[in-house]
Amino acid sequence: MTPNTRKRPGRRSIAVLAAGALAAGGLAAAGVSALRPGAATASSHREAPLISGQPQYDNTDVYAFVSPDRPDTTTLIANWTPFEEPAGGPNFYPFAGDAQHDIHIDSDGDGQGDLLYRWTFKNHTKNGNTFLYNTGPVTSLDDPDLNFTQTYDIELLRLKDQKVISSAKIAQGLPVAPSNVGKASMPDYGTLRSQAVRQLPGDRTAFAGQADDPFFLDLRVFDLLYGGNLSEVGKDTLKGYNVNTIALQVPTAQLRQSTQQPVVGIWSTTQRKNASGGWSQVSRLGMPLVNEVVVPLKDKDKFNASAPWNDADFLPYVTQPELPKLIESIYKIKAPAEPRSDLVSVFLTGVKGLNQPPNVRPAEMIRLNTAIAPSSSPKRLGVLDGDTAGYPNGRRLTDDVVDISLQVVEGELNGAKNDLGDAVNANDAEFGKSFPYVALPASGSRGPLAHKSGQNTDEQSGEIRTQLTGGARPGSSGGGDDTLLITSAAGGAAGVVLISTGLVWWRLRRRGVGA
């Protein structure tokens, strides 16, 4: 629970959400048409009506896992700003400077936060007289050519009965890794990433910056559940898009109650400064996909403004979920019997003997048993495939939460074995082996709207177009590659003649020389 006085409820979990159009690329030289962007949505990407119009404050995914290369630590990751088209300049994608980005820890299972890590960001501009994000190639985070930068502070709050009992600033003025503008602007982005990883007191490690969106799935689930006939599966529709990531690696002993009670609950929130100078919670996230496909439209905004302590308000949506009924109506797969106590254990209490704390209060959050060691060979289906270090015990970057959730919602835990999924089994970009683990962001040279080579390539012929050819399509109408330039030149010459004729006429008229 945040130290605010207002109350809040639950989290998200189970399928995926519809998104809208993103960036647009355009070129206008003698009628060359503009490129059109793709559309998409995902785990808590634009999941509720209000937050869909405030992407900078939209918390998209939360991950929590025992660090594979440092098993005495736990890694917490939260992402913001869905569907970042990498070439979306000139302002690109800063963290919101008027928001509190929070990760909450419940160490005793009572549905209330005991620890709260809070990130706040500050903008810095070197030269306000240019529109450029960077004025030359950027080789370091303190490069004078990086015109726009951000720094951040981290505060640790300790809570008791939803009230702050102490606070301490554990980091101040740390640099944010910038948006990956493109290969000319940032020729070695990996170096910038490494410079943004910072060691903190208390054996903690922090990172904030842009990253490839680690969530992988086929978002065409919203087209009548994969086209109504399973014809729309197998495409990672988040491929090439980025998010803003905060990551923190903490000694596990600092998070859990004790070695006898090693289960912690994790969720994140965004609070935005309101007109009166106070703070309003506008986004909340724990388990993936809950707000998208479990909570109905009428309560989505309420869910985003609520806290796990009040999640009894949303219990009927878990025990009597809509998704299995939709699957039955379209694919004739019989929905499991209700009420769904199996879903309550997965999404609200944790699974007994796996990640359920004693005397648990049902509340929607990621529950992680920190006593379970990382797997040397993680399996994408996590617990369903015998890998107890994976989802729904915490959430790793490689966990296929869509397939797991679809199978669970169709009764896998009640003996109704199935192999449902979207045929997207891994992320398009490789995850790292060490903190912060997330993949490097897609470059502005290689986003989803660009050809994979980073060049402007004609879709029909495969030949490269450049500004020197006016963007003309090779072999297009009339006379080959040079038609557009010749036509433009001819049009330009005609324009000169018209202007000259008009000027002569105007001068003659002023001299009174008749029409």
Side-chain angles (χ1 to χ4, degrees), residues 7 42 90 102 125 129 134 144 230 290 321 388 401 456 474 500:
K7 297 181 180 178
D102 296 343
T125 302
N129 294 321
N134 58 289
L230 295 180
V290 169
T388 56
V401 297
N456 188 16
S500 300

Side-chain angles (χ1 to χ4, degrees), residues 19 101 117 120 122 177 184 210 231 273 290 294 296 344 348 385 394 448 488:
H101 305 72
Y117 289 96
T120 52
K122 185 176 181 180
Q210 195 179 52
S231 62
K273 186 170 288 188
V290 169
V294 175
V344 171
L348 298 180
D385 200 15
S488 298

Side-chain angles (χ1 to χ4, degrees), residues 319-330 333 335 338 410:
T319 58
Q320 304 170 49
E322 179 185 12
L323 183 58
K325 300 179 181 70
L326 295 175
I327 293 174
E328 180 175 358
S329 67
I330 295 175
I333 301 173
E338 297 175 347
E410 282 303 299

Side-chain angles (χ1 to χ4, degrees), residues 53-77:
Q54 305 172 343
Q56 197 176 27
Y57 307 92
D58 191 354
N59 187 188
T60 65
D61 287 281
V62 176
Y63 301 83
F65 51 90
V66 178
S67 310
D69 56 331
R70 294 191 62 197
D72 60 336
T73 68
T74 295
T75 295
L76 310 172
I77 295 174

Side-chain angles (χ1 to χ4, degrees), residues 48-55 282 301 304:
L50 287 178
I51 200 63
S52 65
Q54 305 172 343
V282 296
D301 292 328
N304 263 346

Side-chain angles (χ1 to χ4, degrees), residues 89-417:
N91 296 309
F92 293 97
Y93 305 100
F95 286 91
D98 61 344
Q100 295 172 335
H101 305 72
D102 296 343
I103 294 182
H104 307 250
I105 310 295
D106 174 10
S107 60
D108 55 14
D110 65 355
Q112 304 180 67
D114 298 296
L115 301 175
L116 186 155
Y117 289 96
R118 169 165 291 162
W119 284 254
T120 52
F121 294 85
K122 185 176 181 180
N123 299 341
H124 308 273
T125 302
K126 295 182 178 72
N127 179 6
N129 294 321
T130 177
F131 66 86
L132 293 170
Y133 187 83
N134 58 289
T135 55
V138 176
T139 58
S140 66
L141 295 183
D142 59 359
D143 195 313
D145 285 327
L146 185 55
N147 190 42
F148 177 85
T149 60
Q150 284 193 302
T151 55
Y152 66 98
D153 299 347
I154 306 176
E155 188 178 7
L156 172 59
L157 308 178
R158 298 185 183 277
L159 311 174
K160 180 69 174 177
D161 295 328
Q162 306 181 52
K163 294 181 175 62
V164 178
I165 58 174
S166 70
S167 64
K169 189 160 284 190
I170 63 173
Q172 187 169 7
L174 299 185
V176 174
S179 295
N180 191 355
V181 175
K183 60 185 178 182
S185 293
M186 296 172 181
D188 183 7
Y189 191 88
T191 294
L192 304 181
R193 155 69 66 82
S194 63
Q195 291 175 357
V197 175
R198 296 301 175 101
Q199 299 299 316
L200 307 182
D203 198 25
R204 306 179 184 99
T205 310
F207 167 80
Q210 195 179 52
D212 171 79
D213 192 333
F215 194 63
F216 52 92
L217 78 166
D218 196 319
L219 287 166
R220 293 175 293 177
V221 64
F222 294 103
D223 185 13
L224 289 183
L225 297 182
Y226 305 115
N229 59 2
L230 295 180
S231 62
E232 298 178 355
V233 295
K235 178 182 179 181
D236 182 0
T237 41
L238 287 181
K239 178 180 179 180
Y241 288 107
N242 297 326
V243 289
N244 283 352
T245 292
I246 60 174
L248 185 66
Q249 192 170 76
V250 183
T252 300
Q254 297 180 17
L255 301 179
R256 66 189 180 193
Q257 188 180 63
S258 65
T259 54
Q260 288 72 40
Q261 202 312 85
V263 177
V264 295
I266 300 102
W267 73 98
S268 66
T269 58
T270 311
Q271 297 191 109
R272 186 177 185 182
K273 186 170 288 188
N274 56 38
S276 62
W279 297 93
S280 298
Q281 182 177 303
V282 296
S283 183
R284 172 190 170 200
L285 184 61
M287 294 286 278
L289 306 168
V290 169
N291 205 358
E292 290 78 2
V293 298
V294 175
V295 179
L297 279 171
K298 65 178 182 178
D299 279 341
K300 287 182 179 293
D301 292 328
K302 176 183 176 182
F303 184 91
N304 263 346
S306 66
W309 177 260
N310 299 317
D311 278 350
D313 294 350
F314 306 98
L315 182 61
Y317 304 140
V318 178
T319 58
Q320 304 170 49
E322 179 185 12
L323 183 58
K325 300 179 181 70
L326 295 175
I327 293 174
E328 180 175 358
S329 67
I330 295 175
Y331 292 110
K332 312 307 177 188
I333 301 173
K334 187 171 178 58
E338 297 175 347
R340 298 294 303 275
S341 59
D342 58 324
L343 298 186
V344 171
S345 70
V346 170
F347 299 119
L348 298 180
T349 65
V351 178
K352 193 171 184 178
L354 175 69
N355 62 341
Q356 184 181 115
N359 306 313
V360 64
R361 179 186 178 101
E364 200 275 291
M365 61 183 73
I366 291 178
R367 297 191 187 273
L368 172 66
N369 186 339
T370 60
I372 296 177
S375 173
S376 58
S377 300
K379 297 179 180 179
R380 70 178 183 89
L381 294 180
V383 174
L384 291 186
D385 200 15
D387 182 359
T388 56
Y391 184 81
N393 178 32
R395 182 184 178 187
R396 302 170 299 194
L397 295 170
T398 56
D399 288 333
D400 192 342
V401 297
V402 170
D403 285 16
I404 296 169
S405 297
L406 283 173
Q407 292 177 30
V408 167
V409 84
E410 282 303 299
E412 181 80 18
L413 299 182
N414 289 337
K417 301 298 181 183

Side-chain angles (χ1 to χ4, degrees), residues 19-24 35-41 83 85 235 237 241 448-449:
L22 286 202
L35 298 174
R36 290 188 298 271
T41 78
F83 311 117
E85 157 57 41
K235 178 182 179 181
T237 41
Y241 288 107
L449 305 186

